């Protein structure tokens, strides 16, 4: 999984988004171990059984503390929602991000996601998948605002 995240950091930097994960070498391995331990870490496996992608997914009421402080807008509603973070693919196949996001949405029917303002690739993907831009949130990892999206 850490190799997939390494590839994703390089990909993002090469596509105009060097600051989302690059400077902090995000995500740290300890966080990934915690995600696995807590049952919130998922992988995307291709038809040959190879792990080609990974992401964090969790569902519940008010499960993402950083989403409590949205500015420049508001969430669509306050019902329980799924949150997806740390989506990354290994670059071997197209459509990994869409597959992971669609899978998460199918689990709950109400999904929130955020991304860095420079992550045009992810912004285009979530808009293509029917997400609505709801406002801005801030994360603890850095000082860059994140664009917040929701689909219900």
């Amino acid at each position: 999984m850490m190799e997939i995240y390494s590839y994703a950091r390089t990909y993002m930097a090469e596509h105009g988004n060097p600051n989302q994960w690059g400077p902090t070498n995000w995500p740290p391995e300890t966080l990934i171990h915690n995600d696995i331990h807590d049952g919130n870490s998922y992988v995307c496996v291709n038809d040959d059984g190879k792990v080609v992608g990974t992401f964090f997914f969790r569902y519940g009421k008010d499960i993402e503390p950083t989403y409590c402080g949205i500015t420049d807008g508001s969430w669509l509603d306050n019902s329980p929602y799924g949150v997806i973070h740390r989506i990354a693919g290994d670059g071997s196949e197209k459509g990994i991000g869409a597959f992971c996001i669609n899978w998460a949405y199918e689990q709950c029917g109400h999904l929130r996601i955020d991304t860095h303002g420079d992550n045009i690739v992810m912004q285009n993907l979530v808009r293509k998948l029917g997400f609505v831009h709801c406002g801005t949130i801030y994360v603890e990892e850095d000082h860059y605002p994140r664009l917040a999206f929701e689909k219900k």
Side-chain angles (χ1 to χ4, degrees):
M1 289 173 65
M2 298 314 293
E3 289 176 17
I4 292 173
Y5 284 118
S6 177
Y7 174 84
R9 282 189 294 275
T10 300
Y11 178 89
M12 287 193 290
E14 291 172 352
H15 290 83
N17 183 21
N19 295 312
Q20 186 170 353
W21 289 355
T24 60
N25 202 34
W26 193 260
E29 192 167 345
T30 54
L31 178 62
I32 302 306
H33 284 286
N34 289 340
D35 291 349
I36 293 167
H37 178 267
D38 295 342
N40 299 320
S41 181
Y42 294 83
V43 295
C44 179
V45 180
N46 70 8
D47 292 336
D48 296 327
K50 179 185 176 205
V51 174
V52 295
T54 184
F55 61 99
F56 169 98
F57 171 73
R58 187 172 171 210
Y59 176 80
K61 179 77 171 149
D62 298 325
I63 55 171
E64 178 53 66
T66 59
Y67 287 179
C68 294
I70 190 167
T71 62
D72 303 322
S74 63
W75 296 112
L76 299 177
D77 71 39
N78 291 323
S79 65
Y81 59 89
V83 64
I84 188 166
H85 291 307
R86 299 187 280 286
I87 302 169
D90 70 355
S92 67
E93 299 189 27
K94 298 281 187 194
I96 292 171
F99 181 86
C100 295
I101 293 170
N102 285 331
W103 179 90
Y105 183 76
E106 289 171 7
Q107 306 311 302
C108 61
H110 183 191
L111 194 61
R112 293 178 180 175
I113 188 170
D114 66 86
T115 193
H116 195 283
D118 291 338
N119 195 339
I120 303 303
V121 172
M122 183 59 73
Q123 291 173 45
N124 289 339
L125 176 59
V126 296
R127 285 186 172 108
K128 178 182 167 187
L129 295 177
F131 284 75
V132 175
H133 177 239
C134 293
T136 304
I137 61 105
Y138 295 86
V139 297
E140 294 179 10
E141 296 85 59
D142 59 48
H143 300 291
Y144 293 99
R146 298 297 198 270
L147 301 176
F149 294 87
E150 186 170 25
K151 181 177 178 180
K152 183 160 169 97

